[in-house]
Amino acid sequence: MTTFFSRRPHRNSSNICLLWLTLFLFTISYADAILQTAQLDISFAGSEGAQSHTMLVSQASFGSPLKMGVEKNEGHRLQLPPVENPLLCQNVTGPTNPSEGGNYIMLVPRGQCTFENKAWNAQKLGAVGLIVRGTLASSYSLNETTSETIFPSNKNDYDCDKGKAEIPTSAVVIPYDSNNNDPVLSGDTSSNLCMKESPLFANSCDSKACFLTSNFTENKANYVACCAWDLHIWLYNDPSISVNVDIPAVYATMEQGQKLLKLYETSSPLVTMSARVRAPYNFSAILIWLLGVIIAAIAAYSSATDYRRATQVINRKQEQEQKQEHQGLESDEEKDEQNTERLPLTDASTTENASLISLGTSFPHEESLELNAGHAFGFIVLASSGLLTLFFFKIYSVVKVMYTLGCSNAVRQVIFLPLFSFIFRQMKITDRVVYRSNIEDIGDLTLLDIISGITSYILGFGWLYVAFTTHNREPSLFFWMMQDIMGACICVVFLGSIKLNSMRVASILLLMAFFYDIFFVFVTPLLFKGQSVMITVATSGGPPKADPLWCEKYPNDSNCQGGDPLPMLLTVPRIFDYQGGSSMLGLGDIVLPGLLLSFAARLDAAKQLMGVISGNMHNYKRICCSHNSYFRPMIVAYAIGLLMANAAVYLMNMGQPALLYLVPMCVGTMSFLGWRRNELSMLWEGPKIIRTADALLYGPDEDYHDEQNAEINDNPDDRNSSNLVA
């Protein structure tokens, strides 16, 4: 009995269990800070001639949208509000000077009334744009009942941990007088009392400004002042305003506002308001689509590697023997011996003889699992249980650790074990057994195992460290590339270990997954008070509960946790997009349709193998290189289905379960091809040629013997080679 290949046990059962638990994930993007979506380009005459400066600002939710790009917008001079209406909160009826209408952008302090009210008054005054600048005074107010000053609130407006100082009560005016107090409580100058009274304040407080708190020192001679937050905010609309505000409005921080005021006082700046430039297309969505198709194709194609290797070995051996016969180099005795050896290969006259051909009895059955209908139902139960467990118990960190362990082992098998094997051969290093184990699933531990394992697990735990310690991981090239590599490897291992051998089982599994995906995404919000189980689990508990401004200040706050996608996905950061974010694809959207792609790849390869064994080289080339292949059309169908899912995300402006598009495309394509080729019944029940090829490679199992005996009993005269090919 000739053995053509041998393979070390994979020890990948942990990978299989992990993927069964975490196949279906649905991801959404989230924002954890207020983005500066607009910019101010300021041109002015400085001491060195014409100069320019750019400020990034946040844009209002009301008013007309800004055009993208500075060149598409006009510059206008800066103007302050009327002296009698400095906060622009008093109602105005029209331009103070109608001749100036349409030529300026108004710079207005924050406070006293809503942002949209200010914009409406600025529009009536003839302004073409509005800049609301932050001020210290806007955080103070008066209690109308007691006439007492309401001071800024801790954490929301200021943080004493970032800087604290004691300000003499005689140096400030309460109720808060902005004209007197702002100059002595802000600015990077010697007049800033917070910096003067506390030398460390300048280094610890980014805003260089401080708020007076309601606390005094013991003798009440000094106010306790703390570092002021100076961040961008959203300019919300005012529901009480029924008119349309047509001018754009933006928000500038206190620091930016002071710079604008200084420029206004010292020169005549020309300000251009525009939306920040973004890439016209989301190129990362194209890349994630291409990456998903490539990984699905490679993983499915790799699942038939054993068949192709056997085909190549047998084909090469037959060619060598034919060449030797042609040259007449063998003796009659050698010919008889070789003909005896070749009988099962060239004249597979009976199924019994074919079953004696063992091309690789070292392949252990435990390393692969052939799915049946029971497995399909069990999978849905297991996946649903796992999803609900995560939803209720929120053990997301445990999942990350399990995923790291499983993926590290997959990276070892797919990348580093072959890589170091190649290096050992090139350097003529002999692999040796370091530890012998009597456990079949573990096998002997070799030097190659140790080196490849250490390398893969170091990289895996390095990725896990970044996942646990870094809040914004998108800029980390190592993190997202390593995540994609781990995801790709575990897909290859999964499709090499889990196999479908019939369209019947494939249809049951994929249709159940189809409805599973829809149920947990769209139906569960009706059962769990608006919470989608799939989205909540996929984002580690759902979006943060706190508002983005709070989370920008305190990203480690418990209410700011969440919205972090679980790692069972491929991710590519958005390219040329200042808003950040990533395009993501769940691994379940690769491996589930990939099971059907793997079935198609193994069917093609099994036909080639049987064609070579039967000596029909024409059949081998026809299947390999013509339109009779199942695998290539299935890859095209998968690519189209995934493209449809991506298009639906952008057309509907909401996340989509990719299986909603992939399942009909893949199952429909396979069924159509089988119908056209009069093989649909064979595909539905399971091609005998795959089972025969498995018996040749791994040795016949009990089911195979039972099937063959039943067929022989039913058809005692039908023992020809046609049994080998379905």
Side-chain angles (χ1 to χ4, degrees):
M1 187 177 294
T2 306
T3 299
F4 286 85
F5 326 111
S6 63
R7 181 185 294 171
R8 188 181 294 110
H10 280 170
R11 302 187 283 275
N12 55 14
S13 57
S14 61
N15 298 344
I16 300 173
C17 295
L18 178 66
L19 270 177
W20 277 113
L21 179 64
T22 58
L23 276 180
F24 297 102
L25 289 175
F26 186 85
T27 58
I28 59 173
S29 59
Y30 66 97
D32 57 358
I34 294 175
L35 295 172
Q36 296 88 61
T37 58
Q39 66 183 50
L40 303 177
D41 288 271
I42 308 160
S43 302
F44 57 94
S47 58
E48 300 178 358
Q51 298 181 24
S52 62
H53 181 69
T54 299
M55 292 182 179
L56 302 181
V57 292
S58 54
Q59 195 171 355
S61 60
F62 54 84
S64 60
L66 290 168
K67 295 179 181 178
M68 188 181 300
V70 180
E71 66 283 354
K72 296 182 180 179
N73 296 273
E74 296 182 7
H76 300 275
R77 61 187 180 84
L78 206 59
Q79 181 67 41
L80 300 183
V83 177
E84 66 275 10
N85 193 5
L87 295 177
L88 215 58
C89 289
Q90 301 174 22
N91 186 43
V92 297
T93 56
T96 305
N97 185 355
S99 63
E100 295 182 353
N103 292 325
Y104 61 83
I105 295 172
M106 189 163 285
L107 179 64
V108 182
R110 178 188 178 187
Q112 200 173 78
C113 62
T114 64
F115 300 119
E116 193 168 7
N117 190 16
K118 294 177 185 287
W120 173 233
N121 284 328
Q123 180 175 309
K124 289 190 289 183
L125 288 174
V128 296
L130 176 70
I131 303 174
V132 179
R133 63 180 179 89
T135 63
L136 292 173
S138 62
S139 295
Y140 297 85
S141 60
L142 283 175
N143 188 315
E144 296 180 357
T145 303
T146 63
S147 298
E148 294 180 352
T149 299
I150 301 176
F151 286 83
S153 62
N154 186 27
K155 300 300 182 181
N156 280 307
D157 297 311
Y158 62 83
D159 190 340
C160 294
D161 294 334
K162 292 187 173 295
K164 182 187 291 188
E166 296 179 359
I167 307 300
T169 55
S170 59
V172 293
V173 177
I174 299 295
Y176 196 89
D177 184 344
S178 60
N179 293 328
N180 178 84
N181 296 348
D182 283 4
V184 299
L185 296 177
S186 62
D188 194 8
T189 63
S190 58
S191 62
N192 187 338
L193 294 179
C194 288
M195 296 177 64
K196 183 178 180 181
E197 298 295 332
S198 177
L200 298 178
F201 188 88
N203 296 326
S204 59
C205 182
D206 295 333
S207 67
K208 305 296 188 294
C210 57
F211 277 123
L212 299 175
T213 70
S214 57
N215 301 321
F216 295 91
T217 55
E218 293 182 0
N219 56 8
K220 292 192 176 182
N222 300 312
Y223 281 105
V224 175
C226 294
C227 177
W229 285 111
D230 187 21
L231 303 174
H232 288 91
I233 62 172
W234 274 324
L235 301 185
Y236 293 103
N237 66 314
D238 185 353
S240 65
I241 297 180
S242 58
V243 296
N244 291 327
V245 176
D246 297 326
I247 63 172
V250 298
Y251 179 82
T253 63
M254 290 187 289
E255 182 182 4
Q256 292 173 331
Q258 290 297 323
K259 290 180 180 179
L260 288 170
L261 279 177
K262 186 176 181 180
L263 287 173
Y264 175 79
E265 295 169 355
T266 58
S267 59
S268 299
L270 197 66
V271 179
T272 303
M273 302 173 64
S274 63
R276 294 176 65 183
V277 177
R278 298 181 65 190
Y281 305 103
N282 184 4
F283 296 106
S284 64
I286 300 174
L287 291 177
I288 201 70
W289 169 79
L290 186 61
L291 186 62
V293 173
I294 291 174
I295 291 176
I298 292 176
Y301 187 79
S302 299
S303 67
T305 298
D306 294 343
Y307 296 168
R308 287 190 298 274
R309 289 173 61 196
T311 302
Q312 293 170 1
V313 170
I314 297 172
N315 186 37
R316 187 164 52 246
K317 184 176 181 181
Q318 289 181 350
E319 289 178 350
Q320 291 174 353
E321 292 173 344
Q322 291 173 2
K323 184 177 179 180
Q324 291 175 355
E325 289 178 355
H326 180 71
Q327 294 175 349
L329 299 179
E330 305 92 358
S331 64
D332 292 339
E333 181 180 354
E334 291 173 337
K335 288 182 180 180
D336 292 339
E337 181 181 356
Q338 290 177 5
N339 288 334
T340 301
E341 293 178 355
R342 289 175 49 198
L343 180 59
L345 298 177
T346 60
D347 186 18
S349 57
T350 65
T351 305
E352 182 179 1
N353 284 339
S355 67
L356 296 176
I357 307 171
S358 177
L359 300 178
T361 55
S362 60
F363 291 111
H365 289 284
E366 292 80 10
E367 293 189 12
S368 64
L369 173 66
E370 180 184 339
L371 296 183
N372 54 36
H375 291 128
F377 285 102
F379 164 70
I380 296 300
V381 173
L382 179 62
S384 301
S385 302
L387 202 62
L388 291 173
T389 299
L390 290 174
F391 179 75
F392 287 111
F393 295 100
K394 306 184 186 307
I395 50 174
Y396 307 115
S397 296
V398 175
V399 173
K400 289 181 180 179
V401 174
M402 290 174 59
Y403 183 74
T404 302
L405 293 173
C407 285
S408 297
N409 190 34
V411 171
R412 179 191 71 84
Q413 295 176 37
V414 176
I415 297 179
F416 289 112
L417 196 57
L419 175 62
F420 285 116
S421 296
F422 174 78
I423 294 175
F424 273 36
R425 289 194 302 270
Q426 295 299 312
M427 299 182 66
K428 298 181 179 180
I429 300 175
T430 303
D431 189 21
R432 58 187 178 85
V433 176
V434 177
Y435 173 77
R436 293 193 179 276
S437 172
N438 295 324
I439 303 175
E440 185 177 356
D441 287 339
I442 296 179
D444 296 335
L445 189 64
T446 68
L447 184 61
L448 269 176
D449 290 329
I450 294 175
I451 296 176
S452 59
I454 290 175
T455 306
S456 59
Y457 278 95
I458 286 176
L459 291 174
F461 280 101
W463 175 89
L464 185 64
Y465 174 80
V466 176
F468 279 138
T469 60
T470 306
H471 180 68
N472 182 19
R473 298 183 289 271
E474 290 170 3
S476 174
L477 182 65
F478 166 79
F479 180 83
W480 68 264
M481 287 194 67
M482 191 63 201
Q483 179 167 324
D484 289 348
I485 291 172
M486 292 193 304
C489 290
I490 206 164
C491 287
V492 172
V493 170
F494 183 89
L495 292 184
S497 305
I498 307 295
K499 302 182 185 300
L500 282 172
N501 283 343
S502 73
M503 277 288 294
R504 179 174 59 86
V505 176
S507 299
I508 293 173
L509 176 62
L510 292 178
L511 287 176
M512 291 184 68
F514 175 82
F515 291 110
Y516 165 96
D517 224 6
I518 294 174
F519 175 80
F520 279 104
V521 172
F522 297 118
V523 179
T524 51
L526 304 176
L527 306 176
F528 295 100
K529 299 179 180 180
Q531 280 189 299
S532 169
V533 171
M534 188 79 76
I535 295 176
T536 301
V537 170
T539 55
S540 301
K545 299 179 179 63
D547 66 83
L549 186 59
W550 177 268
C551 293
E552 188 176 2
K553 300 171 185 175
Y554 306 104
N556 295 323
D557 186 275
S558 59
N559 289 324
C560 294
Q561 305 305 309
D564 181 21
L566 287 178
M568 283 69 75
L569 46 82
L570 303 177
T571 178
V572 175
R574 292 183 178 176
I575 302 171
F576 307 123
D577 192 340
Y578 67 87
Q579 293 189 4
S582 300
S583 294
M584 293 174 277
L585 176 65
L587 299 185
D589 299 326
I590 296 176
V591 296
L592 281 176
L595 289 170
L596 196 54
L597 302 182
S598 171
F599 174 54
R602 289 185 297 109
L603 177 57
D604 288 351
K607 287 183 177 181
Q608 295 176 34
L609 176 60
M610 293 298 103
V612 172
I613 289 177
S614 64
N616 190 347
M617 293 302 299
H618 173 71
N619 186 48
Y620 162 71
K621 295 178 180 179
R622 181 175 60 84
I623 297 170
C624 174
C625 309
S626 73
H627 297 292
N628 291 306
S629 168
Y630 280 95
F631 178 64
R632 287 181 295 174
M634 288 297 295
I635 291 297
V636 174
Y638 177 83
I640 294 174
L642 192 57
L643 186 63
M644 291 169 59
N646 284 340
V649 170
Y650 291 99
L651 292 175
M652 300 181 185
N653 198 28
M654 63 179 295
Q656 299 289 312
L659 293 178
L660 185 65
Y661 306 90
L662 290 171
V663 170
M665 282 299 302
C666 293
V667 175
T669 300
M670 192 76 170
S671 301
F672 176 76
L673 291 174
W675 172 75
R676 284 289 302 270
R677 298 169 186 176
N678 295 320
E679 296 178 338
L680 184 57
S681 176
M682 175 268 290
L683 294 176
W684 181 258
E685 295 298 332
K688 297 177 183 177
I689 194 171
I690 289 183
R691 188 168 296 279
T692 302
D694 286 343
L696 299 180
L697 286 172
Y698 313 114
D701 55 18
E702 294 181 1
D703 293 338
Y704 178 80
H705 278 307
D706 293 340
E707 290 179 5
Q708 297 303 313
N709 291 333
E711 184 173 344
I712 291 172
N713 292 332
D714 293 339
N715 304 284
D717 296 328
D718 188 12
R719 297 170 177 258
N720 55 46
S721 60
S722 63
N723 288 329
L724 292 175
V725 182

